[in-house]
Amino acid sequence: MAEKSTKPMNPLKKAYLVTYNVMEFFGWLYLLVLIAMHYINGKTSDQLYRDAQIVLVLRIFQTSAILEIFHSLFGLVRSPVFTTAMQVSSRIFVLWGVLELGDPKTQSSIFVTSTREL
């Protein structure tokens, strides 16, 4: 059986992907801290998505996942473009829909999403 030969990754490409992933990690971690502080301060789930800072950070870091489609499209990662596009777009549509509709019961599930993204 022949072994796959792997070329070393371009240093610029690697630096970009590492930077992107580190920024995403800290963005989701920051959101998790904001949510934890929200509850520590005695606020309820009903108030969670009325907090403009939490909503802004959530929208920024979930929507920035659109870059993952371009990573796949331009060959920075070996993920299928269509599959990546479907996964990312579905999460973004759900997030923006949930935030716009404002149903607190549905919004509480976003907390789970932030821990999963870490």
Side-chain angles (χ1 to χ4, degrees), residues 3 7 10 13 29 39 46 51 54 66 78 83-85 87 90 106 108 110 112 117-118:
E3 290 185 32
K7 296 189 313 185
N10 177 321
K13 178 174 151 179
L29 182 61
Y39 288 114
D46 293 345
D51 184 322
I54 289 174
I66 288 174
R78 295 184 303 174
T83 305
T84 303
Q87 290 173 342
S90 66
T106 307
S108 63
I110 301 297
V112 175
E117 292 292 338
L118 285 173

Side-chain angles (χ1 to χ4, degrees), residues 23-99:
M23 290 176 65
E24 284 290 308
F25 172 79
F26 283 112
W28 285 105
L29 182 61
Y30 177 59
L31 179 64
L32 188 59
V33 168
L34 287 176
I35 292 170
M37 294 304 297
H38 176 86
Y39 288 114
I40 288 169
N41 291 329
K43 297 180 182 175
T44 66
S45 294
D46 293 345
Q47 300 166 320
L48 185 63
Y49 295 95
R50 293 187 192 121
D51 184 322
Q53 186 177 12
I54 289 174
V55 170
L56 177 65
V57 172
L58 182 57
R59 284 183 174 168
I60 287 170
F61 285 97
Q62 186 63 64
T63 306
S64 69
I66 288 174
L67 291 173
E68 293 177 23
I69 299 169
F70 292 104
H71 296 163
S72 180
L73 185 66
F74 297 127
L76 295 177
V77 295
R78 295 184 303 174
S79 302
V81 176
F82 182 75
T83 305
T84 303
M86 292 300 292
Q87 290 173 342
V88 169
S89 62
S90 66
R91 282 187 264 155
I92 291 171
F93 289 141
V94 167
L95 170 81
W96 281 80
V98 166
L99 291 177

